[in-house]
Amino acid sequence: HRRAGGMILRRFEIYSFTPGTPEPLRAAMALSMKDCARHIPEVLDSALGIHLGEVPLDLAWEHAYASPAAYRRYMEHPFHANILDRYLTHDSPEKIITSMGLGVDLIGYACEARDYSLPQGARRITCLKLRDGAADIFAAIVAQAAARAGMAVSVLAENSLANRWTDGVTEISGLPVFSHIWEQGFASLDEARAFPTDWRAA
């Protein structure tokens, strides 16, 4: 486990499809996300996943950027504006997603190294709202849980991209719904499901 805090930007987009969205449109949006790294070289560690949690979400796209400057180039790239945004932005007639008001449609953090790397397996993204001054207390709980066999990746970080999504640095809104993200990685879905959750009580 390493506590995150640097300038690599780690980012997640987690959505539900609008009810009634035809399967070909769902597939087209997923393909555009899969192809993003091919068209925009700044996109690192891009992977698309199916959401398997209890909340009503469908799709999770994870990616990263080597620096805020690289992230800004991604945001300004024609592929982002002409292809990705058609499915995502509120003013697009082709928008097919919703965040269900859960505060997880765009989340992320800054880190010093790509400790989140997981070539194969399953991720659990735990979103937390910690009270002021509780981050160090919770970091100790995270470190104890991550030391157990079975968790291959553990990164706890402030959810800084949720209100800095235009450039990864400048605050553009108030505090996000969730203050912190605990990104966990496991070698398989079975290991993720079997991992003890007694840290919740702690």
Side-chain angles (χ1 to χ4, degrees), residues 5 16 22 31 33 40 67 79 81 83 110 112 115 141 143-144 174 182:
S16 289
L31 181 62
M33 290 177 169
I40 308 177
S67 67
F79 186 86
I83 304 298
E112 296 174 349
D115 292 341
I141 295 170
Q144 186 175 26
W182 182 14

Side-chain angles (χ1 to χ4, degrees), residues 11 39 42 48-49 53 68 103 117 120 126-128 134 154 162 169 175 194:
R11 190 175 187 262
H39 295 284
E42 285 80 8
L48 206 60
S117 181
Q120 182 175 331
T126 300
C127 296
L128 305 142
S154 175
V169 177
L175 295 176

Side-chain angles (χ1 to χ4, degrees), residues 111-125:
C111 54
E112 296 174 349
R114 292 153 80 175
D115 292 341
Y116 53 78
S117 181
L118 185 72
Q120 182 175 331
R123 288 197 193 279
R124 177 180 292 123
I125 307 302

Side-chain angles (χ1 to χ4, degrees), residues 1-2 4 7-12 42-47 62-67 108-125 152-157 181-186:
H1 163 75
R2 178 182 292 181
M7 288 316 289
I8 295 173
L9 300 181
R10 175 70 165 149
R11 190 175 187 262
F12 301 89
E42 285 80 8
V43 178
L44 306 175
D45 305 317
S46 176
E62 60 175 72
H63 40 292
Y65 303 87
S67 67
Y109 59 85
C111 54
E112 296 174 349
R114 292 153 80 175
D115 292 341
Y116 53 78
S117 181
L118 185 72
Q120 182 175 331
R123 288 197 193 279
R124 177 180 292 123
I125 307 302
V153 168
S154 175
V155 180
L156 174 66
I181 299 167
W182 182 14
E183 181 174 3
Q184 305 167 21
F186 303 88

